[in-house]
Amino acid sequence: MTMTTIDMSRLDNDKVALYLASTDRRVTIGVRFALEALGVELPDFVRRGRPGPRRNRINAMMAALDKDSGTTRPYRDEKLGVRAFAPHN
């Protein structure tokens, strides 16, 4: 196998960071995978966010919709299958 030296100054560049911040997340995932597969230390702008559960945007949006509409049958109940959405035997 041929050894190749990686010039990290090309990655630690503001233009690269700006591009990866504004591009589709799949591109960032691909860059992260390639660097991890090659054993290259990840630059800060490619590192993942804080570990743990992330706020679900759909749940937040639907909660706001339910609050605005004043519905008695909220999305969360439907998702969990409780109250009006509980299975009937």
Side-chain angles (χ1 to χ4, degrees), residues 10-46:
R10 296 190 70 161
L11 284 177
D12 292 329
N13 182 326
D14 290 339
K15 289 181 181 180
V16 173
L18 182 63
Y19 171 75
L20 289 174
S22 63
T23 191
D24 187 62
R25 67 180 179 82
R26 293 174 290 183
V27 173
T28 307
I29 291 168
V31 169
R32 188 181 306 123
F33 169 76
L35 294 175
E36 287 177 351
L38 293 171
V40 175
E41 185 175 339
L42 297 177
D44 288 339
F45 58 85
V46 180

Side-chain angles (χ1 to χ4, degrees), residues 51-66:
R54 294 182 182 193
R55 185 169 175 233
N56 187 327
R57 286 182 235 154
I58 293 175
N59 287 346
M61 180 186 68
M62 293 305 291
L65 177 71
D66 291 339

